[in-house]
């Protein structure tokens, strides 16, 4: 919970100030509506995600299963762009805000004021170093930071509430301002709903909460129960802090101090800590805030390390080394450096991208849960549908208000889609088969053959005429007779979007012809893998026979990449060449 909480709870460092700027005197009411959306919208949604995707793949895997084939994978790639936006900007924005707390501390020399970018880069580098050391070390640090930070916030808010209680005129003045600015409670709620998308940063943390589910101890049922407990506990704790902090900061801090250049800008609770508990306690609070903001990127980095290697390598859209944590830490750290330079380590300019990423992820989770409930005929589809509409409104409103966030998110989407498709193309001639099993009939056919002659056949009607014609073709093109133990090999492609396949070779006899049938994501790779398997099992060098494909070779290559077919003979030989560098041990490919 603390690993998730360094992201979720750290928003207390800037959320009260954002709420005050967005809603003014309505800040407590707008925050109360945000809390209601958290407890009755986001929390039930992600509790459902935890149940239906308990392996840490989150709502993306739910949407992928609802849209099979390339549609589902392209949707996942699109959403991974928003995942990258939310998580990478979490790292850069939190580090930048930690730097702002450092540079605004009264004990820090004013000459350091222009060091925003260098200090932010150092913080990001330190975060990457922690993850290079190990994951358990990161969790241990998160526990200490969250416990200390929440305890200090309890002290600050307790003192702030005491000052409010001791001076009832503060509440009276606030209520007077509310009734003066807004004609009725309905108007107050309407305005609060209007500004609520600007408070979306207070919803961050749920996606990382389900992303780290593999770290929850226990079997599947215990993992789901533990993750739900994690999400609920974090949401309740954060809700209490959000309401209390918004109430205290609105009543105790002059509105001018929230504006840019004000002492409470981006650090409202730190302002109260210095004002009511002195600069020494305020500095201790600053140090704790700086530490948790710096380490807020840890939950985002943990989420990225869990999500990206589970999707892109499985799709063939990233190198195999991307499954390893440490190389990916270096990649994500480098990307964070670039983002920091681009935005000049400015917190405000990154806020739109962060909110867009967070809202897009929560909206995708709500859509996935709603569709899943509707597909399974559950009554919960209706309330989840309402939650989806609310998050859709918040997402669209945020994009309209701050379109720069969408631009940044689309840049990440474009970068991920392009690099993924290029990687898929460059890895297409790998063997791509995880396991091969032959049933008893298939094994008998192979064992009874003096030499292995496989006739590649694209199955159509699978009637007697098809096999007779294919046997005649084998004679005309390759001078092969049925007496030589011909075996037809038929590969069908149920889903070409998959990158790897587990092959089950089934032997059957039709119209006196022996046939090996198999399903695979690609035809050339499956044929090559079967040939190598037969060579290793029998010690014989197999032969496979094709006829030349007709048509444009570029079109054939595209058909191979998208549909798993294409110009099969040369592609089969290329896969064999890469898999077996010794030519004398390579199965023979004949084309007539």
């Amino acid at each position: 919970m603390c690993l998730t909480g360094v992201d979720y709870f750290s928003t207390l460092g800037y959320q009260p100030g954002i709420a005050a700027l967005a809603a003014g005197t309505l800040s407590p009411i707008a925050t109360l509506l945000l809390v209601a959306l958290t407890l009755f919208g986001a929390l039930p949604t992600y509790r459902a995600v935890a149940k239906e995707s308990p392996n840490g793949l989150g709502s993306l895997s739910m949407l992928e299963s609802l849209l099979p084939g390339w549609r589902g994978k392209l949707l996942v790639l699109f959403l991974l762009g928003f995942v990258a936006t939310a998580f990478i900007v979490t790292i850069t924005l939190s580090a930048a805000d930690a730097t702002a707390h450092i540079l605004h501390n009264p004990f820090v020399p004013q000459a350091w004021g222009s060091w925003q970018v260098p200090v932010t880069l150092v913080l990001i580098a330190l975060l990457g170093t922690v993850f290079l050391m190990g994951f358990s070390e990161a969790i241990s640090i998160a526990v200490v930071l969250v416990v200390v930070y929440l305890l200090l916030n309890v002290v600050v808010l307790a003192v702030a509430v005491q000052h409010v209680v001791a001076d009832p005129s503060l509440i009276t003045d606030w209520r007077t301002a509310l009734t003066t600015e807004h004609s009725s409670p309905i108007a107050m709620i309407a305005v609060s709903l209007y500004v609520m998308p600007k408070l979306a940063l207070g919803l961050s943390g749920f996606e990382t909460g389900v992303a780290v589910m593999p770290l929850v101890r226990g079997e599947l049922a215990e993992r789901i129960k533990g993750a739900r407990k994690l999400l609920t506990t974090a949401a309740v704790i954060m809700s209490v802090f959000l309401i209390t902090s918004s109430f205290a900061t609105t009543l105790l801090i002059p509105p001018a101090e929230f504006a840019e250049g004000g002492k409470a800008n981006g650090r409202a609770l730190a302002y109260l800590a210095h004002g009511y508990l002195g600069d020494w306690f305020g500095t201790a609070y600053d140090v704790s805030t700086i530490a948790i903001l710096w380490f807020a990127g840890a939950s985002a980095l943990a989420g990225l390390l869990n999500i990206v290697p589970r999707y892109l390598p499985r799709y063939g859209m990233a190198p195999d080394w991307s499954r390893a944590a440490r190389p990916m830490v270096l990649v994500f750290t480098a990307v964070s450096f670039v983002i920091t330079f681009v935005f000049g380590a400015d917190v405000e300019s990154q806020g739109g991208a962060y909110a867009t990423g967070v809202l897009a992820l929560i909206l995708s989770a709500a859509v996935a849960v709603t569709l899943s409930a509707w597909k399974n005929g559950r009554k919960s589809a209706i309330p989840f549908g309402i939650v989806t509409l609310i998050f859709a409104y918040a997402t669209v409103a945020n994009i309209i208000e701050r379109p720069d966030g969408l631009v940044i998110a689309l840049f990440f989407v474009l970068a991920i889609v392009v690099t993924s498709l290029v990687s898929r193309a460059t890895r297409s001639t790998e063997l791509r088969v995880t396991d091969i099993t032959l049933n008893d009939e298939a094994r008998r056919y192979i064992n009874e053959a003096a030499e292995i002659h496989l006739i590649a056949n694209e199955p159509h009607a699978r009637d007697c005429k098809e096999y007779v014609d294919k046997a005649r073709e084998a004679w005309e093109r390759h001078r092969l007779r049925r007496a030589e133990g011909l075996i037809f090999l038929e590969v069908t492609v149920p889903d070409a979007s998959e990158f790897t396949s587990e092959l089950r070779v089934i032997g059957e006899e039709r119209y006196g012809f022996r046939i090996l049938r198999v399903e695979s994501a690609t035809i050339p790779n499956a044929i090559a893998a079967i040939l190598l398997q037969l060579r290793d099992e029998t010690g014989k060098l197999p032969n496979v026979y094709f006829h030349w494909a007709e048509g444009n070779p570029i079109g054939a290559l595209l058909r191979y990449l998208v549909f798993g077919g294409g110009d099969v003979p040369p592609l089969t030989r290329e896969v064999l060449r890469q898999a077996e560098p010794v030519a004398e041990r390579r199965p023979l490919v004949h084309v007539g």
Side-chain angles (χ1 to χ4, degrees):
M1 189 191 74
C2 290
L3 184 62
T4 301
V6 288
D7 175 18
Y8 195 22
F9 300 142
S10 68
T11 56
L12 287 171
Y14 47 81
Q15 178 70 15
I18 291 174
L21 284 174
T25 54
L26 280 175
S27 174
I29 297 175
T31 301
L32 190 62
L33 290 177
L34 178 70
V35 166
L37 183 59
T38 298
L39 298 178
F40 302 106
L43 178 59
T45 296
Y46 278 95
R47 283 174 62 90
V49 171
K51 180 180 179 181
E52 299 200 33
S53 181
N55 296 315
L57 296 179
S59 57
L60 274 66
S61 66
M62 296 172 64
L63 291 171
E64 181 189 16
S65 64
L66 292 170
L67 289 172
W70 279 112
R71 290 178 301 164
K73 289 177 176 58
L74 290 174
L75 177 61
V76 168
L77 288 181
F78 182 79
L79 291 176
L80 278 176
F82 286 94
V83 170
T85 302
F87 287 1
I88 291 291
V89 177
T90 294
I91 297 170
T92 59
L93 182 146
S94 299
D97 201 39
T99 301
H101 278 74
I102 293 174
L103 301 181
H104 284 87
N105 186 274
F107 293 111
V108 174
Q110 291 186 356
W112 290 22
S114 60
W115 289 23
Q116 183 79 17
V117 172
V119 174
T120 302
L121 292 176
V122 169
L123 293 179
I124 293 173
L126 289 174
L127 178 66
T129 302
V130 171
F131 273 83
L132 289 174
M133 292 169 57
F135 215 75
S136 58
E137 288 81 358
I139 294 178
S140 301
I141 294 173
V143 171
V144 173
L145 293 181
V146 167
V147 170
V148 172
Y149 182 67
L150 292 183
L151 287 175
L152 290 176
N153 272 286
V154 167
V155 173
V156 173
L157 291 174
V159 171
V161 170
Q162 284 180 354
H163 279 80
V164 172
V165 172
D167 188 359
S169 64
L170 292 172
I171 298 178
T172 303
D173 293 342
W174 174 63
R175 292 177 61 182
T176 301
L178 280 179
T179 55
T180 302
E181 295 175 8
H182 307 283
S183 58
S184 67
I186 295 177
M188 297 177 191
I189 294 174
V191 174
S192 298
L193 289 172
Y194 176 75
V195 302
M196 189 178 62
K198 297 180 180 180
L199 279 61
L201 301 186
L203 293 169
S204 65
F206 281 103
E207 193 70 28
T208 50
V210 293
V212 299
M213 279 187 70
L215 300 176
V216 178
R217 183 178 299 158
E219 298 298 325
L220 193 64
E222 288 79 9
R223 188 190 308 163
I224 294 171
K225 183 179 179 181
R228 286 179 155 187
K229 186 186 299 183
L230 179 158
L231 293 168
T232 303
T233 306
V236 170
I237 291 173
M238 187 61 172
S239 296
V240 172
F241 276 106
L242 280 174
I243 294 172
T244 310
S245 63
S246 176
F247 181 75
T249 54
T250 301
L251 269 64
L252 294 173
I253 299 177
E257 297 292 351
F258 289 112
E260 186 175 354
K263 296 180 180 179
N265 182 251
R267 54 192 304 274
L269 291 177
Y271 177 92
L272 294 181
H274 281 275
Y276 291 115
L277 293 162
D279 283 340
W280 285 106
F281 182 90
T283 298
Y285 183 84
D286 280 340
V287 170
S288 176
T289 304
I290 291 163
I292 197 168
L293 283 170
W294 159 65
F295 213 65
S299 63
L301 197 50
L304 286 168
L305 292 174
N306 185 64
I307 290 178
V308 173
R310 287 172 177 261
Y311 282 104
L312 296 185
R314 178 163 59 90
Y315 292 174
M317 294 178 173
D320 264 340
W321 58 259
S322 63
R323 298 178 188 271
R326 285 181 173 84
M328 294 308 293
V329 169
L330 296 176
V331 170
F332 295 138
T333 302
V335 173
S336 299
F337 277 8
V338 173
I339 296 298
T340 298
F341 275 114
V342 169
F343 287 100
D346 183 65
V347 177
E348 179 65 22
S349 62
Q350 297 178 73
Y354 187 28
T356 298
V358 169
L359 285 171
L361 291 182
I362 297 178
L363 175 60
S364 68
V367 170
V369 171
T370 301
L371 291 176
S372 177
W374 177 73
K375 183 179 178 181
N376 294 308
R378 295 195 297 266
K379 294 181 179 179
S380 58
I382 296 175
F384 280 130
I386 296 172
V387 170
T388 300
L389 292 175
I390 294 173
F391 282 120
Y393 153 72
T395 304
V396 172
N398 180 76
I399 290 173
I400 294 173
E401 177 78 16
R402 306 189 67 173
D404 56 318
L406 180 62
V407 173
I408 296 164
L410 290 178
F411 171 79
F412 274 104
V413 169
L414 181 63
I416 286 178
V417 170
V418 171
T419 55
S420 296
L421 294 179
V422 169
S423 176
R424 173 86 177 212
T426 56
R427 295 187 61 194
S428 62
T429 52
E430 294 179 8
L431 208 55
R432 297 169 57 177
V433 172
T434 57
D435 188 38
I436 302 176
T437 57
L438 285 75
N439 74 348
D440 293 339
E441 282 294 292
R443 197 170 297 280
R444 181 170 66 84
Y445 296 164
I446 298 300
N447 291 335
E448 290 178 357
E451 293 184 358
I452 302 175
H453 298 285
L454 301 179
I455 308 298
N457 179 47
E458 183 180 358
H460 295 289
R462 304 192 79 229
D463 56 9
C464 182
K465 182 179 183 302
E466 179 176 334
Y467 294 107
V468 170
D469 290 345
K470 198 69 179 178
R472 183 184 302 112
E473 180 185 281
W475 163 251
E476 293 173 351
R477 295 177 185 270
H478 308 290
R479 290 298 184 260
L480 292 174
R481 298 179 176 85
R482 288 186 62 182
E484 294 179 86
L486 304 183
I487 301 173
F488 291 107
L489 177 58
E490 299 178 348
V491 182
T492 55
V493 181
D495 184 1
S497 67
E498 292 294 331
F499 187 70
T500 59
S501 302
E502 183 175 325
L503 304 184
R504 175 168 171 77
V505 183
I506 299 172
E508 66 173 32
E509 189 167 324
R510 294 175 70 87
Y511 311 108
F513 295 96
R514 290 183 169 184
I515 303 164
L516 301 181
R517 292 191 298 108
V518 64
E519 290 186 346
S520 172
T522 60
I523 296 173
N525 308 66
I527 293 175
I530 292 170
L531 292 172
L532 293 170
Q533 179 80 3
L534 296 181
R535 179 204 66 181
D536 295 339
E537 287 192 4
T538 65
K540 305 170 186 177
L541 207 59
N543 297 265
V544 64
Y545 300 86
F546 300 94
H547 64 78
W548 284 112
E550 299 291 339
N552 188 298
I554 303 299
L557 178 60
L558 292 176
R559 289 196 300 274
Y560 168 62
L561 295 175
V562 178
F563 302 111
D567 196 359
V568 177
L571 287 167
T572 301
R573 189 187 181 284
E574 178 59 22
V575 175
L576 285 170
R577 189 187 67 80
Q578 292 190 21
E580 176 51 78
V582 181
E584 291 75 13
R585 286 179 44 80
R586 198 178 296 154
L588 301 174
V589 176
H590 307 269
V591 189

